Amino acid sequence: MVEPTGIEDVATQDNEGNPEDFPAEYTSETPEAAAAAGYVPTASGPGAGTGRRKQAIARVRITPGSGEWKVNGKPLEEYFPDKVHQQVIKEPLVSLGFDGAYDIFARLNGGGPSGQAGALRHGLARALAGLDADNNRPVLKKGGFLTRDDREVERKKAGLKKARKAPQYSKR
């Protein structure tokens, strides 16, 4: 069995290697399957990450704890009352099986609720990847949590009503 020595080895083997060549934590689809295979995630020391989405920026600090959320001084449910936004934000923790294992403190500014939720998710994923890169990063990368969504609103052009919408054409 070939043990990957780093993240680069996993990325290259992912495209061309056999599933038998990987350790269990890289091939299992769910945290339960990973735990059954012998990989048990552990909550280690504090971490930090910065996430961005649209015009929003999130600075996230995580520490092992009881699962307390503070977003700009408010609980998560108060700052993001929409359940969809709460689910989007918690996806990196759920995918690693860390739901309730960390206290999260975030400072958000810029953008609207959707952009801020995406920025918080990106920052949280980067903080988790920084804690234990060998085990957490491949799972987060496969889930797409470490990739910044770089879509921005297109600027309005002169002579148009919006970015691309032109005034109604009149023949006479």
Side-chain angles (χ1 to χ4, degrees):
M1 184 168 144
V2 177
E3 290 287 327
T5 58
I7 298 169
E8 296 81 20
D9 293 339
V10 173
T12 57
Q13 287 181 5
D14 194 27
N15 295 333
E16 55 210 37
N18 295 338
E20 295 82 27
D21 294 340
F22 301 118
E25 63 266 20
Y26 295 119
T27 57
S28 55
E29 295 296 321
T30 63
E32 293 80 23
Y39 168 64
V40 179
T42 57
S44 60
T50 302
R52 294 178 182 87
R53 169 84 171 96
K54 296 187 179 180
Q55 294 294 310
I57 298 173
R59 292 170 298 188
V60 183
R61 290 184 306 123
I62 58 174
T63 56
S66 59
E68 178 189 2
W69 285 83
K70 285 290 182 188
V71 181
N72 287 355
K74 298 179 183 178
L76 180 70
E77 292 77 21
E78 188 179 326
Y79 195 84
F80 290 104
D82 190 351
K83 297 287 185 194
V84 174
H85 289 155
Q86 293 175 23
Q87 182 179 357
V88 164
I89 292 166
K90 291 181 180 180
E91 280 178 334
L93 289 170
V94 172
S95 69
L96 290 172
F98 287 157
D99 201 15
Y102 284 98
D103 291 339
I104 292 102
F105 304 97
R107 298 293 298 167
L108 293 170
N109 61 338
S114 180
Q116 287 186 350
L120 183 52
R121 178 176 98 159
H122 186 227
L124 179 60
R126 289 174 80 173
L128 289 168
L131 289 180
D132 187 7
D134 294 337
N135 295 320
N136 295 348
R137 187 170 172 82
V139 176
L140 294 169
K141 189 75 171 164
K142 187 172 184 180
F145 303 123
L146 297 176
T147 304
R148 186 208 191 280
D149 189 351
D150 63 348
R151 294 177 293 169
E152 297 275 343
V153 175
E154 190 175 349
R155 75 172 190 87
K156 182 189 176 300
K157 287 20 167 242
L160 301 181
K161 293 182 177 236
K162 296 187 346 186
R164 299 186 182 200
K165 182 176 180 175
Q168 183 174 0
Y169 173 75
S170 174
K171 192 169 184 179
R172 289 178 185 79

